[in-house]
Amino acid sequence: MFQIVNHPHPVLRYVSRPVTEIDDGLRETVRSMFELMYAAKGVGLAANQVAIPFRFFILNLGADPAQADNEQVFINPVITKRHLAVEDEEGCLSLPEIRGDVRRARKIRFQAYDLQGKLVDYEADELFSRAVQHETDHLDGKLIVDHFEPKVLREIEPKLRQLELQH
């Protein structure tokens, strides 16, 4: 049903629209996205990575379907504070085989709705913080390559061209 879209699919560059209704259809979509994310061995997946233009993403930082209690869904997330920028390597399911250093806040505060429609405040650091920022970037039409230094972009240019040819 769903598949992960790769760069340069245009949906990856659109700003996602807010979710206005949390219903059984959204819950089924979320379940399908978790299955797809696990199959791709990812820790997170934004809705627009499966060509759904709405503001939500999923995470399981353990990337383990056996740890379903670690599954999290974030609907209409808003980052309210960022602290202490650090640089670390990231990859992306929509940019297979491309990795590079991305500078992000080490610690953030954010709000999002859960699947029950409850607004929740979060504090996140380390991998949780990085994953939330990465997936929120997706919802804003940004990719990790937008954060790469020019030297790194030149190095990965052949891989980006290959993805464009496959598209």
Side-chain angles (χ1 to χ4, degrees), residues 30-146:
V30 163
R31 177 58 22 221
S32 296
M33 285 175 61
F34 272 113
E35 292 170 11
L36 189 58
M37 181 188 79
Y38 293 135
K41 302 195 181 335
V43 299
L45 190 63
N48 62 337
Q49 288 182 275
V50 293
I52 298 172
F54 292 102
R55 292 190 74 76
F56 70 94
F57 64 85
I58 61 170
L59 291 179
N60 182 336
L61 298 178
D64 184 355
Q67 296 177 342
D69 53 338
N70 290 336
E71 293 179 351
Q72 295 177 287
V73 180
F74 303 95
I75 301 168
N76 298 334
V78 176
I79 298 173
T80 57
K81 288 188 181 178
R82 299 172 193 261
H83 303 281
L84 303 170
V86 294
E87 201 167 279
D88 203 357
E89 186 178 73
E90 289 185 27
C92 179
L93 296 177
S94 292
L95 290 156
E97 299 180 30
I98 293 177
R99 301 189 67 77
D101 287 341
V102 175
R103 190 168 188 76
R104 298 203 188 270
R106 186 177 88 58
K107 185 175 180 179
I108 61 170
R109 291 199 64 169
F110 72 102
Q111 294 181 324
Y113 290 91
D114 63 18
L115 270 179
Q116 288 68 48
K118 179 182 173 194
L119 182 63
V120 182
D121 287 304
Y122 297 91
E123 285 193 20
D125 63 5
E126 306 295 335
L127 179 58
F128 185 25
S129 172
R130 183 164 293 276
V132 167
Q133 291 172 83
H134 177 107
E135 301 306 334
T136 301
D137 266 3
H138 275 300
L139 301 179
D140 292 332
K142 298 176 186 169
L143 298 171
I144 58 173
V145 293
D146 299 334

Side-chain angles (χ1 to χ4, degrees), residues 11-30:
V11 74
L12 296 171
R13 292 303 190 170
Y14 296 143
V15 175
S16 299
R17 294 178 293 182
V19 172
T20 58
E21 184 177 353
I22 300 171
D23 58 14
D24 288 339
L26 179 63
R27 289 181 187 89
E28 288 174 26
T29 297
V30 163

